[in-house]
Amino acid sequence: MKWLAALVFTFNFVSLSWAGLPVITVSGLDVEPYIIKTEDSELPSGIIIDIVDGVMSRIGYQPKYSISVWARAFNDVSKGFNDALIPAMKTADREQSLWYPEEPLLSLRMSLFKSKNEKVAWDGVMGSLQNARIAVVRGAKVSPDFDHVMDSDLFKVEKRTNFDLVMMAVAARRVDYGAADQLMGLWAAKNYGILNQVEVAKPYLESVPVYIAFSKEKVDAEFVSRFNDELLMFKAEGGVQKIIDSYFSNSVLDR
């Protein structure tokens, strides 16, 4: 009877693709350049998509993506409608319904951007931002320390609706800084042709690991462990860095 139970579980977990590989359904949201969904393409692209594709192929699975808004993506996976969620930050409450590999897909490098060659006071201490004008995306989290003082009078917050507008404000010197993940900020600047007008103000604010999280309703711990092991090897072979480099020239990335 064990083989019958295993068979039932397998068909609950996956279906077969036209290529003959079992399919794992992955929910996510459009967050460029990590996940890119355009109207003229049925398939999403992006750094995280390419990482997941690469690792899944190594363990013999084909991802099928459903890219929507965060609330829907999280609900679909936490309730077992889909198998996996990207990108996901690890929290105690989410671990009640989701498996997380030990290894993150990558880490977001939360940063302050400034105009190219502009001298600024930022030295890694929040007090050095006193009286600065800082553009942030409305409703977005930046880093614990930054978020803690954002509602104080230490610096002036100028809210924008997206990272494109944040980076344009930095390039035009309408603000002193823009707060964003390094790659998200650079991608927005690249899309608007202002990449040579902005740069990261060091040091970075914080490094935030992001994961693929798996539904406990659909996936077992053994599968998560297999994914984790292959992800580690994929990173060790330079696979993740090669993917990142394919979206940006080496001259704009700080390692």
Side-chain angles (χ1 to χ4, degrees):
M1 293 297 292
K2 288 184 178 179
W3 66 269
L4 180 59
L7 184 64
V8 170
F9 173 79
T10 298
F11 279 93
N12 181 51
F13 175 22
V14 297
S15 58
L16 293 179
S17 72
W18 290 110
L21 293 177
V23 171
I24 183 164
T25 55
V26 184
S27 293
L29 71 158
D30 187 352
V31 53
E32 299 182 6
Y34 299 108
I35 302 174
I36 305 169
K37 183 68 173 73
T38 59
E39 293 182 359
D40 57 351
S41 176
E42 292 185 7
L43 300 176
S45 59
I47 294 169
I48 285 179
I49 295 291
D50 292 351
I51 294 172
V52 173
D53 284 348
V55 178
M56 285 295 181
S57 68
R58 294 166 70 111
I59 58 177
Y61 283 81
Q62 177 180 325
K64 179 181 179 181
Y65 296 99
S66 175
I67 307 303
S68 57
V69 297
W70 171 255
R72 179 178 177 182
F74 178 76
N75 181 74
D76 284 351
V77 178
S78 63
K79 293 188 176 180
F81 300 127
N82 284 337
D83 302 313
L85 174 68
I86 53 173
M89 294 183 183
K90 187 185 293 187
T91 62
D93 59 324
R94 292 178 186 175
E95 288 185 283
Q96 299 298 313
S97 59
L98 302 174
W99 298 112
Y100 285 82
E102 292 183 11
E103 183 69 15
L105 294 173
L106 41 73
S107 290
L108 306 185
R109 189 173 278 177
M110 306 309 295
S111 308
L112 291 175
F113 283 83
K114 64 183 184 69
S115 297
K116 194 82 168 183
N117 300 321
E118 183 79 4
K119 291 184 178 180
V120 293
W122 168 245
D123 61 5
V125 178
M126 288 295 148
S128 65
L129 296 176
Q130 188 169 11
N131 298 324
R133 298 165 300 155
I134 305 178
V136 302
V137 172
R138 184 175 287 105
K141 299 292 185 183
V142 180
S143 77
D145 289 344
F146 184 91
D147 296 341
H148 180 70
V149 300
M150 189 162 53
D151 293 329
S152 71
D153 295 327
L154 180 65
F155 50 79
K156 181 180 179 182
V157 176
E158 298 195 9
K159 297 182 179 180
R160 301 291 195 274
T161 56
N162 55 51
F163 290 109
D164 297 346
L165 295 178
V166 167
M167 300 308 294
M168 291 172 68
V170 173
R173 290 180 163 83
R174 291 193 294 270
V175 294
D176 301 304
Y177 306 95
D181 161 64
Q182 182 193 26
L183 297 188
M184 291 173 71
L186 292 174
W187 185 260
K190 175 184 175 183
N191 286 343
Y192 277 84
I194 55 174
L195 198 53
N196 63 343
Q197 299 176 46
V198 299
E199 61 187 357
V200 174
K202 297 181 182 178
Y204 304 105
L205 289 167
E206 186 182 16
S207 182
V208 179
V210 292
Y211 300 79
I212 181 171
F214 296 93
S215 170
K216 289 186 177 181
E217 296 283 337
K218 301 291 291 291
V219 180
D220 62 11
E222 181 182 357
F223 180 87
V224 180
S225 179
R226 287 175 59 199
F227 184 93
N228 185 77
D229 292 345
E230 289 297 337
L231 176 59
L232 284 169
M233 287 191 286
F234 190 63
K235 285 187 174 184
E237 294 164 4
V240 170
Q241 191 57 57
K242 288 178 183 177
I243 288 171
I244 294 173
D245 289 345
S246 72
Y247 287 84
F248 298 92
S249 65
N250 290 334
S251 62
V252 303
L253 292 178
D254 181 81
R255 304 177 194 279

